[in-house]
Amino acid sequence: MQGEYRKTIDGFYAQLLHTSAAHSFAEGIYDDHRFAWRSTLPHQWGSAMFLMYLRYLLLQECEARLVLLPAIPDRWLGEGKSVRWRGLPTRFGPVSLNVTRWGDMLHVRYSVPQKADL
């Protein structure tokens, strides 16, 4: 969903709206209608789709370019909050990131392979 950031965020939260009390996923979810079908829980395809949405929020690999935090929800970086990961595998190699918001400033530390074009 490169470039469709609002749709990516909506899909991510639609997935969360349709989890069970044990955080398992329905077989399929129509993001635009926020409707789950077939009522079969848990379902591995739903889990895989959730992880795909989460990855699209955090990182995208666009041909020879790596895009960090292309669609992160604003509230994830509220005052004093951080978003971080270590060693996330990409086709360029492992990527690490730590972003913290302090007032109007973002403190960013990252480690990317040299062959990645940010």
Side-chain angles (χ1 to χ4, degrees):
M1 292 192 188
Q2 295 171 359
E4 297 185 42
Y5 306 127
R6 173 65 16 215
K7 190 169 185 177
T8 301
I9 292 170
D10 288 346
F12 177 79
Y13 283 111
Q15 289 284 111
L16 287 178
L17 284 173
H18 290 91
T19 61
S20 72
H23 302 296
S24 58
F25 294 93
E27 183 173 346
I29 296 172
Y30 299 106
D31 300 342
D32 295 339
H33 305 295
R34 298 186 184 271
F35 175 76
W37 50 277
R38 297 192 63 156
S39 302
T40 54
L41 296 171
H43 199 276
Q44 297 307 312
W45 182 252
S47 298
M49 290 300 296
F50 174 77
L51 291 175
M52 261 181 30
Y53 277 118
L54 179 59
R55 185 178 175 92
Y56 289 152
L57 296 177
L58 300 176
L59 177 138
Q60 291 181 9
E61 299 168 85
C62 308
E63 298 175 17
R65 201 173 59 147
L66 190 59
V67 180
L68 302 176
L69 303 178
I72 189 162
D74 292 337
R75 66 179 156 214
W76 287 17
L77 284 174
E79 179 66 32
K81 291 186 178 180
S82 295
V83 172
R84 62 180 161 252
W85 69 78
R86 273 192 336 191
L88 186 68
T90 71
R91 68 174 164 225
F92 304 103
V95 173
S96 297
L97 178 77
N98 187 343
V99 179
T100 305
R101 179 177 161 214
W102 299 109
D104 293 337
M105 304 285 289
L106 288 178
H107 178 83
V108 180
R109 292 190 333 184
Y110 64 92
S111 171
V112 297
Q114 287 187 349
K115 60 184 170 183
D117 178 21
L118 293 176

